[in-house]
Amino acid sequence: MLRLALRLLLRDSRAGGLRVLVLAVMLSVAGLAAVHGFAERMQAALSLESNRLLGADLVLVSDHAIDTVVMTTAQAQGLLTAQTMQFPSMISTDHDNQLADIKAVSAGYPLRGQLRIAPSLSQADKAVADIPQVGTVWLAPRLANALNVRVGDSVAVGYRQLRVVALLIDEPDRGGDFFNLAPRLLMNQADIAATGLVTTGSRVTYRLLLAGASQPLASYQAVLAQHLTRGQRLMTAADARPELRDVLEKGERYLGLSVLLAVLLAAVAILLAARHFLHRHLDTCALLRCFGASQATIVKLYLWQLAILGMFAALAGALLGYAGQAVLAEILGKLANLSLPSVGVLPFLQAMLAGWVLLAGFSLPTLLMLRHTPAIHILRKDVIALDKLGVFAYMAGLAALVALLFWQVQDVKLTGVVLLGLAVVLVVTVAFAGLLVLAAGWLAARSAGSWRYGLLNLRRRAAGSVIQISAFTLGLLAVLVLTIVRGDLLDSWHATIPAQAPNRFVINIQADQVVPVRAFLQQHHIAQAQLYPMIRGRLTAINGREVYSANYADQQTQRLLDREFNLSYTQTLPAEAQFSAGQSWRVDDKRKQFSVEQGIADKLHLQLGDTLQFDIAGTPVIAKITSLRKVNWDSFKVNFFVIANAPVLQAIPASYITSFYLPPTASSLLNEIVRGYPNLTVIDVSAIMQTVQAVLNRVTTAVQFVFVFSLVAGLLVLYAALAATRDERALETALWRVLGATKRQLWQVQIIEFMTIGLLAGALAAMGATAIAWGLSSYVFKVPYHIDGWLWVSALCAGGMGVTVAGVLGLWRISRVPPLVTLRGN
Amino acid sequence: MNDAALTILHPSSFDIVRGASVAIVGASGSGKSTLLGLLAGLDTPSQGAVWLAGQSLTVLDEDGRAQLRGELIGFVFQSFQLLPNLTALENVMLPLELRGVKQAKQQALAWLERVGLGHRQHHRAQQLSGGEQQRVAIARAFVVQPAVLLADEPTGNLDAETGARIIDLLFELNREQGTTLVLVTHDSQLAARCSQRLILDAGRLTC
């Protein structure tokens, strides 16, 4: 049986009868494999990229020394480790002393990213793989400047004299709370004991940096998470930079959406192709029945054929997918100067399995119907009525598809929204297509010439027309949904970091320096810089009840309460502030008021009208919350959790903070301002922003790339849908020509039919895509949704023109075959 | 059968003996093909029974009838019914392959040569003329050595000369193989060559 099936299959393939089905399975597997394989590599590359901001893949942060067992166990699991200790301390020379943020590191630090040092500010910096040797330190330029030391001088760190051997230009994990940053001193951990600075009760932050392959890392992370002691927490790149997490999540979701729609399109293509394949074999089946084949024999024969076909097509598809993602990853890697990690075999096996599920799901129903081919079909062609059963039989295929989608995409909300939307669209499409077919019949009776026959064709092929319209609608809709959501996502990302987002923060500006600093900035055309007063205070009571961090389950909230808030005050809240509750205060309002950021309000369970009490250098400050604000933390502008109106804080001494965009060419400007006002601290966030921007760019490229795959899948559906009626059209065309129809007449009739189908599909797809994309943007991706009039225009054009051009191209080939050949073949 | 239903064949009874050649003749729409379909077990009568080689076709299910067909019956159709994707040889091999016959190729080739088409074994069905296609179909029907050969207007799609050659071939093989030949035809000359004639007139058997 297997050999007979193989032989029949080979004979069929030689005659080109399998092309569409093989292509559909192959391309669906290739698409899935490439998108999955590429997505896997992309995600790995992106997390490597963002892990550079952390100096590791995972960090255990602790307020007490970390048990060495934790480190040795990690090493036993094959993970890389490094340790750091961080604490503020005064360091001194013979003439000066200065508060520094000391970081003592062990060999191997940093595990991700690189340290950059320079012998002096006037010389170029370079990346190094080492850490400071025992007995030496690297100083941040600002610290060296403040202490007036050069490379070669010594500084006292506690009881130990350490020699300065380099200026520390950049460290990967510098990020975090940079408002509280004293300038860095980097030293070797081996020198710590000799300094005598770390004793019981010292405020040291210990970090264990971990890096390695994702599998052992993830399992170790799970173990660590269960054994965290008080004062310990785990940090990943996403925790370090929340804006990155958002971008990565949305990027991943978009990849998921692309996979989902690609699978869906592939399913439609396979459905059409399998249907076509099996319908073509009705005659063969009837003949086999005449020869005495039982139903079981026929089912087995075709099952084997489909299994063999599926295996080869899936294998070819996986290879094609591998090649596709490798080539594109190579191109992308070069463009983005990024080496993508190698890809595992799993995505390809998954894609092959998915291809099989699709093939089985959508060909078995038809195959089982084929079993019932009445042998009398061989004598009388009219007795076949398989399609009646079809609707119910395809339910199984549909169930398989839905299961496959949830499995492949692993995002219940996303899959749910898309499937629900598609179900509605499909029902509406079938209804409209049915109406169109009826209307075509009615109109045909009232028109003449080519119109009459074009419309009549629609009516005569009623089931085929409805299926074609539905297939075109789905194909077009998928591409449109991806286009709209992609546009919305890219827009929102561009808005995240505008071209001139602030890249420098200046803190520590004293009250008497506000006027000259502002003047200096204005003089150098840094107009956007606004100076905000900043006062540090601890939240002590809410509505008169004392606040304890232990009362809050969320770790971030606990840390926030243990530390001091950065408070500010203004005459009026910024015009662009978005209020989720309450409103801004008036300038002349003397009542004491706070405006609180919505996120922190949620964490602390604060509501409008609650009273907050802060302790500012021993002075209690009390005011009522009169508004809740939404703050975009990704904007790199100066933002505060809590802002007061002037009556609350204006009597309290404050330092000032500002942020602004400094073009790379003007970076020397700040040296000037620091020379004039040595107490100022300038923080350069351009490195962080560059990383965020790089991640954004890569996700954007990935998003564009997977879009192309879905486009190809859409074209395949178009091809499969047209192939389904090609035999019938070929015969018709031959008959028309025998009857003396001119080519012009032939083309007109077909164009009218295709154009009508295409336009309806375009309109329905635009309608469906608008609704689904709105749902996705609003509820899944949570980005602003833009209505685009061009969508309708392009959908109608793509539908009308695309279907017509593709259809007519097929017809062109048919029309070159002599009618006699076509008729004899039938 | 209720009055509203269309009666295609009225009650009639006849026997066909082994080795006979029978012509079913009648005008278009007189029920010839339906009768042939019933004899082959491709269709079942709403009333009555069809017996083939001592076995009632009407009590068998579809698979049972298919099995009996496979063992006893060969077909030749008016429109040849060759599979267009297969070569002449492959078309003849198909029923043998379906039975798992090992020497399918040799047997099929022998039969192709028997019908004078050995030299066209690798041509696809579409590349053959009508007469050649029908000869391939005859080879395919005889290759399984059926007890009964049913032919539905085997010359209907052929010119008179080619048709005559096909008929000669059919009768020759009929004699040689001892096959029972039942053919539906419009052609009175062809009918005259048969040992028995069943004349259908609007679904009624008139002799």
Side-chain angles (χ1 to χ4, degrees):
Chain A
M1 181 64 70
L2 172 60
R3 285 174 60 187
L4 178 59
L6 190 61
R7 236 175 287 158
L8 285 178
L9 199 66
L10 281 176
R11 291 170 191 167
D12 235 4
S13 71
R14 189 188 54 204
L18 304 173
R19 206 179 302 145
V20 180
L21 190 56
V22 169
L23 215 60
V25 176
M26 209 171 99
L27 272 184
S28 64
V29 173
L32 274 176
V35 168
H36 264 340
F38 181 76
E40 192 181 71
R41 292 178 72 167
M42 199 70 197
Q43 274 162 17
L46 286 174
S47 59
L48 267 185
E49 178 82 11
S50 47
N51 286 350
R52 280 184 201 149
L53 291 179
L54 198 62
D57 296 337
L58 177 69
V59 176
L60 172 62
V61 186
S62 175
D63 62 5
H64 51 272
I66 297 167
D67 200 324
T68 48
V69 175
V70 179
M71 192 176 69
T72 50
T73 315
Q75 285 164 347
Q77 313 272 331
L79 299 174
L80 297 172
T81 61
Q83 292 165 284
T84 70
M85 296 162 70
Q86 204 174 325
F87 54 92
S89 178
M90 295 302 286
I91 58 170
S92 50
T93 62
D94 295 341
H95 324 285
D96 270 314
N97 52 47
Q98 171 76 29
L99 182 69
D101 191 27
I102 294 175
K103 188 193 257 182
V105 298
S106 71
Y109 167 88
L111 300 176
R112 299 280 182 236
Q114 285 178 315
L115 293 167
R116 299 190 73 85
I117 58 173
S120 76
L121 268 186
S122 55
Q123 283 169 280
D125 57 316
K126 59 169 192 209
V128 286
D130 300 328
I131 60 167
Q133 300 285 310
V134 173
T136 68
V137 291
W138 299 345
L139 300 188
R142 193 151 55 90
L143 184 60
N145 213 22
L147 290 169
N148 202 19
V149 295
R150 289 160 187 263
V151 167
D153 296 343
S154 284
V155 290
V157 182
Y159 296 117
R160 182 90 158 93
Q161 284 287 326
L162 297 169
R163 196 159 57 86
V164 179
V165 292
L167 295 181
L168 178 65
I169 306 301
D170 193 20
E171 55 186 308
D173 53 339
R174 183 180 51 174
D177 187 6
F178 43 67
F179 295 132
N180 301 325
L181 217 65
R184 170 79 73 230
L185 178 146
L186 194 72
M187 59 184 284
N188 195 305
Q189 207 172 46
D191 285 323
I192 279 290
T195 63
L197 288 176
V198 177
T199 55
T200 316
S202 303
R203 281 199 67 175
V204 180
T205 305
Y206 296 83
R207 286 189 173 82
L208 176 65
L209 280 61
L210 299 163
S214 57
Q215 198 53 50
L217 193 73
S219 47
Y220 197 58
Q221 181 174 0
V223 174
L224 279 180
Q226 284 180 344
H227 294 89
L228 288 181
T229 57
R230 190 171 159 72
Q232 288 189 334
R233 65 195 164 94
L234 287 170
M235 232 166 84
T236 61
D239 301 323
R241 310 278 353 151
E243 61 271 28
L244 278 185
R245 176 167 46 189
D246 193 53
V247 168
L248 288 178
E249 271 177 11
K250 284 177 183 163
E252 255 173 62
R253 278 209 139 149
Y254 188 84
L255 292 182
L257 178 66
S258 308
V259 169
L260 189 124
L261 290 173
V263 172
L264 214 73
L265 290 178
V268 175
I270 288 175
L271 169 71
L272 292 170
R275 219 180 106 90
H276 182 48
F277 170 78
L278 294 171
H279 271 250
R280 278 186 102 151
H281 286 74
L282 275 177
D283 281 352
T284 312
C285 280
L287 203 60
L288 291 174
R289 298 290 282 158
C290 278
F291 293 159
S294 66
Q295 296 191 347
T297 307
I298 288 183
V299 169
K300 271 190 225 154
L301 205 56
Y302 279 95
L303 262 183
W304 273 118
Q305 289 197 42
L306 285 174
I308 297 166
L309 182 145
M311 196 175 70
F312 280 105
L315 203 63
L319 289 175
L320 189 71
Y322 182 82
Q325 65 84 31
V327 167
L328 282 153
E330 180 67 23
I331 295 168
L332 193 70
K334 272 183 186 152
L335 277 182
N337 195 20
L338 172 80
S339 62
L340 292 169
S342 66
V343 64
V345 74
L346 195 65
F348 300 98
L349 291 179
Q350 277 187 4
M352 283 175 69
L353 189 61
W356 272 55
V357 170
L358 286 181
L359 183 63
F362 283 116
S363 51
L364 282 185
T366 321
L367 176 56
L368 292 177
M369 287 189 279
L370 208 56
R371 186 172 59 129
H372 295 298
T373 311
I376 193 75
H377 173 71
I378 211 76
L379 292 178
R380 298 206 311 266
K381 299 278 182 192
D382 55 316
V383 291
I384 295 284
L386 293 181
D387 285 329
K388 282 183 190 161
L389 281 166
V391 180
F392 301 101
Y394 282 121
M395 288 298 176
L398 209 60
L401 175 66
V402 170
L404 180 77
L405 289 178
F406 278 103
W407 169 57
Q408 284 278 292
V409 178
Q410 304 213 330
D411 187 334
V412 176
K413 198 171 172 187
L414 177 72
T415 314
V417 168
V418 172
L419 286 183
L420 191 72
L422 283 180
V424 174
V425 169
L426 206 58
V427 169
V428 173
T429 302
V430 169
F432 268 90
L435 281 178
L436 176 81
V437 166
L438 288 180
W442 189 83
L443 279 172
R446 285 157 186 76
S447 44
S450 303
W451 277 98
R452 181 179 160 76
Y453 290 104
L455 292 171
L456 221 67
N457 273 350
L458 278 173
R459 177 78 184 87
R460 195 161 40 81
R461 271 192 274 273
S465 298
V466 171
I467 290 173
Q468 279 192 335
I469 292 171
S470 308
F472 294 145
T473 304
L474 279 186
L476 206 54
L477 177 132
V479 173
L480 288 177
V481 165
L482 284 173
T483 314
I484 305 173
V485 175
R486 183 186 63 145
D488 286 349
L489 264 186
L490 296 186
D491 281 353
S492 85
W493 286 341
H494 285 150
T496 300
I497 304 184
Q500 300 215 332
N503 59 2
R504 298 289 194 286
F505 286 80
V506 179
I507 58 174
N508 249 347
I509 306 166
Q510 299 306 303
D512 58 341
Q513 296 169 336
V514 168
V515 175
V517 168
R518 189 180 283 148
F520 177 86
L521 291 175
Q522 273 171 1
Q523 183 191 338
H524 292 91
H525 310 291
I526 301 171
Q528 73 193 91
Q530 195 176 346
L531 275 69
Y532 300 90
M534 190 163 91
I535 296 162
R536 296 171 66 79
R538 189 180 292 274
L539 180 65
T540 50
I542 300 171
N543 292 331
R545 289 230 297 275
E546 279 194 61
V547 174
Y548 298 103
S549 62
N551 293 347
Y552 293 87
D554 179 52
Q555 282 200 350
Q556 206 190 342
T557 314
Q558 289 180 0
R559 285 202 303 280
L560 198 71
L561 291 173
D562 286 338
R563 284 195 321 225
E564 291 183 314
F565 275 73
N566 292 317
L567 306 171
S568 187
Y569 64 89
T570 62
Q571 296 286 339
T572 53
L573 285 165
E576 71 267 20
Q578 287 187 323
F579 293 99
S580 46
Q583 53 191 357
S584 183
W585 44 71
R586 293 205 318 275
V587 180
D588 54 357
D589 197 341
K590 297 288 180 228
R591 284 174 300 174
K592 293 183 172 179
Q593 301 173 47
F594 282 130
S595 174
V596 179
E597 189 260 341
Q598 181 69 53
I600 196 73
D602 289 343
K603 286 200 169 106
L604 295 170
H605 315 299
L606 300 177
Q607 288 173 336
L608 223 53
D610 283 351
T611 308
L612 299 184
Q613 179 177 332
F614 285 94
D615 177 281
I616 299 171
T619 314
V621 170
I622 302 171
K624 226 176 209 168
I625 302 174
T626 57
S627 67
L628 298 176
R629 284 168 298 125
K630 284 185 181 159
V631 169
N632 177 14
W633 295 103
D634 313 344
S635 69
F636 284 93
K637 287 182 180 161
V638 176
N639 281 309
F640 295 93
F641 282 135
V642 180
I643 299 178
N645 65 347
V648 184
L649 295 174
Q650 66 185 352
I652 297 168
S655 71
Y656 287 74
I657 173 171
T658 185
S659 73
F660 50 85
Y661 173 76
L662 193 72
T665 48
S667 50
S668 61
L669 199 66
L670 289 179
N671 295 343
E672 208 175 308
I673 199 170
V674 174
R675 266 200 300 278
Y677 307 98
N679 64 304
L680 297 191
T681 303
V682 176
I683 298 160
D684 181 357
V685 293
S686 52
I688 293 170
M689 287 180 59
Q690 271 162 17
T691 306
V692 174
Q693 192 74 57
V695 170
L696 262 179
N697 288 344
R698 265 155 229 185
V699 177
T700 305
T701 317
V703 161
Q704 314 265 32
F705 162 62
V706 292
F707 175 73
V708 174
F709 259 88
S710 309
L711 203 66
V712 172
L715 287 176
L716 186 68
V717 168
L718 180 71
Y719 180 74
L722 288 173
T725 55
R726 190 168 296 144
D727 294 349
E728 202 180 333
R729 282 177 205 279
L731 185 61
E732 267 173 31
T733 310
L735 281 173
W736 274 72
R737 287 174 64 194
V738 169
L739 293 173
T742 61
K743 280 204 168 171
R744 187 187 155 85
Q745 283 170 320
L746 275 178
W747 292 70
Q748 274 177 348
V749 170
Q750 300 282 344
I751 287 175
I752 288 165
E753 187 187 345
F754 282 130
M755 188 74 96
T756 314
I757 287 180
L759 284 177
L760 180 68
L764 289 169
M767 209 156 62
T770 308
I772 293 177
W774 169 81
L776 285 174
S777 289
S778 310
Y779 295 105
V780 180
F781 289 97
K782 301 205 167 87
V783 294
Y785 172 70
H786 302 292
I787 293 175
D788 189 354
W790 281 105
L791 170 83
W792 284 79
V793 178
S794 48
L796 287 175
C797 285
M801 297 302 291
V803 171
T804 308
V805 168
V808 166
L809 277 180
L811 182 71
W812 183 65
R813 265 177 43 199
I814 289 172
S815 69
R816 282 157 51 111
V817 178
L820 196 63
V821 173
T822 313
L823 289 175
R824 191 184 277 178
N826 282 275
Chain B
M1 203 170 281
N2 71 51
D3 293 340
L6 182 64
T7 303
I8 297 173
L9 279 178
H10 289 276
S12 49
S13 182
F14 59 91
D15 296 312
I16 297 171
V17 295
R18 183 188 297 255
S21 56
V22 182
I24 303 172
V25 291
S28 286
S30 59
K32 301 187 299 289
S33 294
T34 306
L35 181 57
L36 194 74
L38 289 174
L39 292 179
L42 296 179
D43 218 344
T44 48
S46 45
Q47 275 181 3
V50 179
W51 291 76
L52 180 63
Q55 172 84 49
S56 169
L57 288 182
T58 28
V59 298
L60 293 173
D61 63 0
E62 178 67 29
D63 269 351
R65 292 199 304 272
Q67 198 189 346
L68 203 62
R69 267 200 306 272
E71 288 164 7
L72 297 175
I73 300 178
F75 286 93
V76 175
F77 303 99
Q78 179 180 4
S79 52
F80 324 134
Q81 297 293 350
L82 298 182
L83 293 180
N85 296 337
L86 305 191
T87 62
L89 181 63
E90 287 164 351
N91 262 295
V92 180
M93 282 165 68
L94 188 62
L96 292 173
E97 289 178 323
L98 207 60
R99 286 156 202 234
V101 174
K102 290 250 163 65
Q103 314 251 299
K105 192 166 177 183
Q106 288 87 330
Q107 289 186 26
L109 195 57
W111 270 99
L112 265 186
E113 271 161 9
R114 181 75 189 72
V115 299
L117 285 175
H119 62 294
R120 306 213 64 180
Q121 54 172 309
H122 295 306
H123 288 87
R124 285 222 211 117
Q126 281 163 307
Q127 296 165 316
L128 302 173
S129 73
E132 288 171 328
Q133 288 196 41
Q134 195 59 303
R135 279 194 276 163
V136 174
I138 288 172
R140 185 178 65 181
F142 276 103
V143 76
V144 291
Q145 297 176 311
V148 182
L149 185 83
L150 301 177
D152 182 22
E153 305 201 23
T155 58
N157 278 353
L158 303 170
D159 62 85
E161 199 179 325
T162 315
R165 279 213 295 274
I166 293 291
I167 292 303
D168 287 344
L169 182 64
L170 268 180
F171 277 98
E172 190 187 327
L173 294 173
N174 181 31
R175 272 194 308 276
E176 197 178 282
Q177 304 285 319
T179 315
T180 308
L181 181 64
V182 179
L183 46 87
V184 163
T185 185
H186 274 115
D187 183 347
S188 51
Q189 280 187 331
L190 170 53
R193 292 178 65 173
C194 294
S195 58
Q196 191 179 349
R197 276 168 298 280
L198 299 170
I199 302 169
L200 275 172
D201 182 13
R204 287 176 204 281
L205 205 58
T206 56
C207 84

